[in-house]
Amino acid sequence: QCTFCSVRNFNGVGVRQRSISSVVDELELLKNEHGIGHIMWLDDDLLKDHGRAIGLFNEIVRRNVDITWDATNGLIAASCTDEVIAAAAASGCIAVNIGMESGNREILKTVRKPGTLENFLSAAEVLRRYEQIHASVFLMIGFPGESMSMILDTINVSREMDLDWYRCSQLHPLPN
């Protein structure tokens, strides 16, 4: 939904999924046949379906895949519940990014960001409980109509989140 995102331009609309078994089979192949010890999930919706995410993480543990992983592409803050993050940590998660973009309610509404300040703060509270997970937040400045006061809202919410790292970038308009 976010107006600044171009993922749908190259991936299309909707979410494609494979079976949990198929995904974990591939992780085992990467580990056992290629010696891969770490993967990065390039998935905007990795935690969207809480039951599926927990099932995936539990299967990684059950099969003793023994890899580490990160979700540095960005997670949906509302999905960062204690149950989901506990399962993620148990399965080898060592780093995540939360896609906040702005700490200003007006900007979030204007760019159709589905997250709320409450979602971001709640996710940060959960993530701070898992020291083995390096947690950071994506921030973006330069939205049309954004004032210095709105940018300061983003900085203040980020400080309140108190995560390990903050990744700030300028908005870069792309075609479509």
Side-chain angles (χ1 to χ4, degrees), residues 3-152:
T3 60
F4 58 83
C5 185
S6 63
V7 169
R8 290 182 181 192
N9 292 346
F10 52 87
N11 276 348
V13 176
V15 177
R16 296 170 293 183
Q17 293 184 335
R18 293 171 36 204
S19 72
I20 288 173
S21 179
S22 146
V23 172
V24 179
D25 288 348
E26 185 171 336
L27 293 176
E28 287 179 324
L29 179 129
L30 290 170
K31 173 72 177 182
N32 299 331
E33 293 188 24
H34 301 284
I36 303 297
H38 181 86
I39 62 151
M40 182 185 100
W41 296 110
L42 184 58
D43 187 340
D44 290 342
D45 294 316
L46 179 63
L47 307 181
K48 183 176 180 355
D49 179 337
H50 295 188
R52 178 180 168 75
I54 291 167
L56 172 64
F57 303 147
N58 288 346
E59 185 65 9
I60 291 169
V61 171
R62 188 187 75 73
R63 292 201 208 175
N64 195 29
V65 179
D66 192 30
I67 60 165
T68 59
W69 61 268
D70 67 79
T72 51
N73 190 51
L75 297 176
I76 297 169
S79 295
C80 294
T81 65
D82 266 312
E83 185 180 21
V84 172
I85 299 303
S91 72
C93 178
I94 62 168
V96 299
N97 283 327
I98 299 295
M100 180 172 87
E101 281 67 60
S102 178
N104 177 273
R105 292 180 196 279
E106 185 179 330
I107 292 293
L108 293 172
K109 183 178 178 182
T110 299
V111 300
R112 297 179 25 197
K113 179 77 180 175
T116 66
L117 300 182
E118 293 75 19
N119 293 144
F120 304 135
L121 293 168
S122 177
E125 182 180 330
V126 169
L127 288 165
R128 285 193 308 268
R129 290 194 278 270
Y130 295 87
E131 290 184 17
Q132 71 271 38
I133 299 176
H134 182 277
S136 62
V137 62
F138 286 135
L139 308 172
M140 195 179 296
I141 60 172
F143 290 107
E146 187 175 40
S147 67
M148 188 61 192
S149 173
M150 293 169 160
I151 292 170
L152 289 174

